[in-house]
């Protein structure tokens, strides 16, 4: 399921703070979040390249039916990488050796795959970079993220509010390198009343 409007708003806060040059999106699906990211980058004149990962049939269908996505690929703003995660991610990271500023993990939603993706990305994440994991309300993702954070001394904050009574719905975990000032996380908690 795609990010809701509040989650997209929160996502843009982290995009703005990280001023990313390289973005990885694991789980492009129908491209809704990809388009949101590209539009935010264009509006704010942030020069960036997005690498979107998903299965080949999903990406082929997207390229066939979505002119905005096709145009973004043609402008070299977006590169779509097909294959099975985390293998396709590992091949990409080994080949390109990028410094990654921003990552959105929203693909398989399984403990083993999310943990593997986090482990693969971590050495490539810039000191100011962020990893956002969507669907944090799933217990298996909570275990994967908490296990990873403890093992790697990563800072993370769950931004989880699935109460139907709330005006703000979110199911994120935000992960950053230890050097990040925790004040930004505190600001987020106050700003979004978490």
């Amino acid at each position: 399921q795609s990010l809701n409007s509040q989650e997209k708003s929160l996502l843009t806060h982290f995009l703005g703070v990280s001023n990313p040059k390289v973005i990885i999106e694991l789980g492009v699906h129908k491209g809704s979040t990809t388009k949101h990211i590209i539009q935010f980058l264009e509006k704010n004149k942030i020069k960036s390249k997005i690498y979107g990962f998903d299965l080949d049939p999903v990406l082929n269908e997207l390229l066939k039916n979505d002119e905005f996505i096709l145009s973004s690929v043609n402008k070299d703003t977006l590169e779509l990488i097909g294959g099975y995660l985390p293998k396709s991610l590992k091949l990409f990271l080994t080949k390109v050796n990028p410094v990654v500023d921003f990552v959105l993990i929203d693909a398989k939603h399984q403990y083993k795959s999310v943990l593997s993706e986090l482990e693969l990305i971590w050495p490539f994440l810039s000191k100011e970079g962020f990893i956002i994991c969507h669907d944090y309300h799933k217990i298996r993702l909570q275990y994967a993220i908490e296990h990873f954070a403890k093992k790697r001394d990563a800072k993370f904050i769950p931004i989880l509010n699935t109460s139907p009574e709330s005006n703000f719905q979110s199911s994120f975990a935000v992960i950053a390198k230890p050097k990040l000032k925790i004040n930004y996380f505190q600001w987020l908690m106050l700003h979004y009343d978490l």
Side-chain angles (χ1 to χ4, degrees):
Q1 187 176 9
S2 183
L3 277 63
N4 65 39
S5 60
Q6 291 110 349
E7 290 170 328
K8 285 180 180 176
S9 172
L10 189 57
L11 186 79
T12 57
H13 282 284
F14 286 101
L15 283 167
V17 168
S18 64
N19 192 26
K21 304 292 179 260
V22 175
I23 298 170
I24 291 178
E25 181 184 8
L26 304 180
V28 174
H29 192 50
K30 294 183 180 178
S32 171
T33 303
T34 311
K35 289 188 263 191
H36 176 77
I37 292 170
I38 292 169
Q39 290 165 344
F40 173 82
L41 296 171
E42 288 174 352
K43 181 180 177 183
N44 291 282
K45 296 178 178 36
I46 299 172
K47 297 246 183 249
S48 187
K49 173 93 177 217
I50 303 169
Y51 296 92
F53 290 76
D54 217 310
L55 298 172
D56 287 309
V58 173
L59 298 179
N60 292 337
E61 189 70 21
L62 194 58
L63 285 168
K64 182 177 153 189
N65 296 316
D66 194 309
E67 290 182 26
F68 183 89
I69 294 292
L70 181 59
S71 170
S72 298
V73 168
N74 290 335
K75 288 190 284 185
D76 204 34
T77 305
L78 172 65
E79 184 174 329
L80 298 174
I81 300 167
Y84 289 96
L85 288 166
K87 184 179 179 183
S88 58
L89 176 63
K90 184 177 183 177
L91 290 171
F92 166 78
L93 293 171
T94 303
K95 179 181 174 188
V96 177
N97 195 28
V99 174
V100 180
D101 304 301
F102 190 88
V103 180
L104 174 62
I105 297 178
D106 192 14
K108 282 186 169 180
H109 304 109
Q110 300 295 325
Y111 173 88
K112 187 176 178 182
S113 62
V114 170
L115 186 59
S116 295
E117 292 157 5
L118 289 169
E119 289 287 356
L120 285 168
I121 290 165
W122 192 247
F124 297 92
L125 188 67
S126 70
K127 286 188 281 186
E128 297 81 24
F130 293 102
I131 301 172
I132 308 260
C133 296
H134 189 231
D135 295 325
Y136 183 72
H137 64 281
K138 297 179 179 180
I139 298 296
R140 59 188 174 267
L141 295 190
Q142 292 175 22
Y143 287 139
I145 292 163
E146 291 166 15
H147 176 92
F148 172 79
K150 185 175 181 182
K151 181 178 174 185
R152 294 293 183 178
D153 190 31
K155 300 287 185 203
F156 89 96
I157 185 171
I159 303 175
L160 179 62
N161 188 353
T162 55
S163 168
E165 292 84 35
S166 174
N167 290 330
F168 182 79
Q169 302 282 318
S170 177
S171 180
F172 271 173
V174 181
I175 304 169
K177 296 267 179 155
K179 300 206 182 334
L180 178 73
K181 292 180 181 173
I182 200 71
N183 293 348
Y184 187 67
F185 282 164
Q186 291 170 340
W187 174 86
L188 280 171
M189 291 177 73
L190 292 171
H191 184 74
Y192 285 99
D193 195 26
L194 301 171

